[in-house]
Amino acid sequence: MKNFIAVFIIIVAIVLVINIDVEKNDSFASNNDDEKRWDRILSVLETAVDEFELFSFSVTPESIIFIEMGETKSELQLIKYLEENVNKNDLNHYTIDITRKSLQDVENERFMDEVSSIVYDYIQEKNYHDMELYHHSIEPEPILKISILKSNDRSSEIIKDRSSEIIKKELEDLLASKSAELSKKDISYEIQVIERTNESTIESDAVISAVVEDFRSTGDHLIISSTDIFKGNGIYKKPWTQPSDSKDYKFHVTNNTGTNVTVQIQQSGYTQTQTYNLVAYGSTTWVQSDASSGDHTIIVTTSDGSIFKGDVFVSSSDVSLN
């Protein structure tokens, strides 16, 4: 009888291990199928870039294909092109969301990203801690907005007692000297320098505060909290160590750029990389259940290599988040 019970326990254990392995393999196969399916659609979209004036395209975890295209081309013709060139079974897995942009808006956005990058690097080089660079706007005209802290006891000696007009002229001279680095020479833009009387930013941080509060909820441990990221090379990368006693983790990315970004989670010792897509000016939180412990890295990359601006948060949890 004891031998029978021992054999029975061993059989049950083997069955459980097999089931777990099958579930993992099924999950891996499912993710692999999604990647292959998207790769096939991506190859078709890439052939349509010139014909339909496609500026960007990406897919979300919710199986939505976001496409940005020119205003002079036909959405219906693009849909027809996809239906004729993409396997129907592949296309049925997705919903297509198309937005229209003028070529001028796209060029303005890219140009102002370059201008912002030059100014940002200059601010860092000069240690202008009391100067803040804000996300540019292109409507109705391209504008780069900067604020400086009005003279007080805590102002930096570099900016202290210098008017907004002087700072503006300094930046205009800088950009004139860097004109060779800009992709376009015929786009006019304005630099606005605003003086503020306290150290609070001129833009509300209510959304960031809400995200941080959510990530600090019961059972959560905030691991990464990066705000106002500005990466001139378009790549943000930061590692963290997932504790062995944590079940899940969640991560949030706010994309404050005019281009789509790819979010990747890499885990040490694993060849599989989890990939997510986030549209321009989008903001999303993802949850990873039954997370493995060890070293992880989150990487955010802009789709066209332009500047990445935004926020990234990661937190681990002692309890299941689902």
Side-chain angles (χ1 to χ4, degrees):
M1 184 65 179
K2 288 183 179 180
N3 290 337
F4 173 78
I5 294 174
V7 171
F8 178 76
I9 292 173
I10 292 172
I11 293 173
V12 170
I14 292 173
V15 170
L16 288 173
V17 169
I18 292 174
N19 285 338
I20 291 171
D21 190 55
V22 168
E23 288 178 3
K24 287 184 176 179
N25 287 335
D26 287 345
S27 177
F28 178 82
S30 177
N31 291 334
N32 202 33
D33 287 344
D34 288 341
E35 289 182 6
K36 289 181 178 179
R37 188 181 296 117
W38 170 240
D39 285 342
R40 290 192 291 267
I41 296 175
L42 185 62
S43 66
V44 174
L45 285 168
E46 287 172 345
T47 64
V49 168
D50 293 333
E51 182 177 352
F52 294 98
E53 200 176 28
L54 304 185
F55 299 131
S56 66
F57 34 83
S58 63
V59 64
T60 72
E62 294 77 26
S63 298
I64 301 174
I65 299 175
F66 284 98
I67 301 174
E68 286 185 346
M69 65 182 295
E71 294 179 326
T72 62
K73 302 299 180 179
S74 167
E75 290 184 32
L76 294 178
Q77 288 298 317
L78 174 60
I79 296 297
K80 182 179 178 181
Y81 180 85
L82 293 176
E83 290 175 343
E84 291 176 348
N85 292 276
V86 176
N87 183 286
K88 186 176 181 181
N89 291 330
D90 286 347
L91 208 56
N92 285 341
H93 281 82
Y94 299 94
T95 300
I96 299 176
D97 189 323
I98 299 175
T99 58
R100 313 297 291 271
K101 277 189 174 183
S102 69
L103 178 59
Q104 186 63 55
D105 282 346
V106 173
E107 290 179 344
N108 286 349
E109 184 71 42
R110 191 164 298 166
F111 175 81
M112 291 305 292
D113 278 342
E114 295 170 358
V115 169
S116 297
S117 181
I118 291 172
V119 172
Y120 177 80
D121 289 343
Y122 183 74
I123 290 173
Q124 299 301 306
E125 178 188 339
K126 294 293 186 179
N127 291 319
Y128 284 177
H129 300 301
D130 294 333
M131 185 183 293
E132 294 186 6
L133 174 65
Y134 298 98
H135 182 68
H136 58 262
S137 60
I138 62 170
E139 293 183 356
E141 298 294 336
I143 295 174
L144 184 67
K145 186 182 293 185
I146 295 153
S147 76
I148 57 174
L149 187 61
K150 198 170 181 180
S151 178
N152 60 34
D153 293 339
R154 289 181 289 177
S155 295
S156 69
E157 291 300 321
I158 299 174
I159 296 179
K160 191 173 184 179
D161 297 327
R162 295 172 68 190
S163 67
S164 57
E165 289 78 11
I166 293 175
I167 295 293
K168 181 177 179 180
K169 179 65 166 58
E170 181 180 343
L171 295 178
E172 287 174 343
D173 291 343
L174 164 72
L175 290 165
S177 70
K178 300 283 188 179
S179 60
E181 299 179 18
L182 300 173
S183 57
K184 304 282 285 186
K185 305 293 186 294
D186 57 348
I187 296 178
S188 60
Y189 62 96
E190 179 186 355
I191 295 177
Q192 292 183 353
V193 180
I194 303 168
E195 292 185 359
R196 65 186 194 278
T197 57
N198 56 61
E199 295 191 17
S200 62
T201 61
I202 61 174
E203 294 186 0
S204 171
D205 60 354
V207 174
I208 290 178
S209 297
V211 173
V212 172
E213 186 65 29
D214 175 57
F215 272 64
R216 286 175 174 162
S217 60
T218 304
D220 284 9
H221 306 282
L222 192 61
I223 299 173
I224 295 175
S225 179
S226 299
T227 61
D228 297 326
I229 299 166
F230 194 107
K231 292 293 184 181
N233 63 355
I235 302 173
Y236 167 90
K237 184 175 182 179
K238 192 154 189 173
W240 86 91
T241 300
Q242 181 70 13
S244 58
D245 57 349
S246 292
K247 298 181 180 297
D248 300 350
Y249 66 81
K250 60 183 177 180
F251 54 103
H252 173 96
V253 177
T254 297
N255 177 19
N256 290 330
T257 66
T259 186
N260 301 336
V261 299
T262 299
V263 182
Q264 293 180 306
I265 302 294
Q266 295 180 348
Q267 185 176 355
S268 177
Y270 287 75
T271 57
Q272 183 78 359
T273 298
Q274 297 167 279
T275 302
Y276 308 83
N277 293 278
L278 184 59
V279 297
Y281 305 111
S283 180
T284 303
T285 298
W286 294 274
V287 172
Q288 175 62 53
S289 301
D290 298 322
S292 300
S293 60
D295 295 331
H296 295 65
T297 302
I298 184 167
I299 305 170
V300 183
T301 311
T302 54
S303 58
D304 57 2
S306 60
I307 297 167
F308 170 63
K309 298 182 287 288
D311 312 303
V312 174
F313 300 91
V314 177
S315 71
S316 63
S317 178
D318 297 334
V319 297
S320 175
L321 294 173
N322 286 327

